[in-house]
Amino acid sequence: MLTFDLRDTLLPFSLLQITNLFREMKPGEEMQIFAGVSHIDATILKDVMLILPRTDYDLIAKENLDGDDPVTRLRLRKKEPLTTHQQKGDHHVRN
C-alpha cells in the first residue's frame, strides 16, 4: 500500500506525486493519504479526490484518527479500467 503524509509538505509537488504514482498503480492496489484535521487539510483531501479520475478508484475509508497528533486518513483502491463500451455508455438495444 502506498502511503502519503501531506502534513507539513509542499502541496503542489505532493499532489503531482500522488497523481503520477496513482497512474502507475495496478487495479486492486491501495493508497492511503494522511492530512491534518484542520479546515485547510480537509480541503486538501477534497483536492486529491478531484485530481484523480473518480471512475478510477473506490473510496475505501475517510476517517479521523484521534491521538496525540490527530489525523485524517483517506484510503483509495484503484479500480479496473473501464472498457470502451463502459466509457461511452453503450446502450445498444437488441432485437
Side-chain angles (χ1 to χ4, degrees):
M1 177 181 320
L2 293 172
T3 300
F4 291 92
D5 191 340
L6 298 180
R7 297 170 290 176
D8 302 322
T9 63
L10 185 61
L11 283 181
F13 178 73
S14 296
L15 293 176
L16 179 61
Q17 189 177 26
I18 287 170
T19 302
N20 288 337
L21 288 174
F22 184 83
R23 190 176 304 127
E24 295 174 12
M25 290 171 53
K26 294 182 174 118
E29 291 184 328
E30 293 185 11
M31 175 184 287
Q32 65 180 353
I33 303 163
F34 293 97
V37 293
S38 72
H39 175 70
I40 293 171
D41 291 313
T43 301
I44 293 165
L45 290 178
K46 286 181 186 175
D47 289 345
V48 167
M49 293 173 65
L50 289 173
I51 63 172
L52 298 176
R54 183 62 190 111
T55 57
D56 289 359
Y57 68 87
D58 287 318
L59 176 62
I60 304 302
K62 183 178 179 186
E63 55 194 351
N64 293 326
L65 305 174
D66 296 327
D68 293 339
D69 189 15
V71 65
T72 300
R73 179 175 69 166
L74 184 68
R75 283 186 54 210
L76 307 173
R77 181 182 301 125
K78 187 163 185 177
K79 290 182 179 181
E80 290 284 340
L82 294 176
T83 66
T84 304
H85 295 293
Q86 290 171 319
Q87 290 173 358
K88 293 181 180 178
D90 191 10
H91 298 291
H92 293 325
V93 177
R94 295 184 178 169
N95 294 328

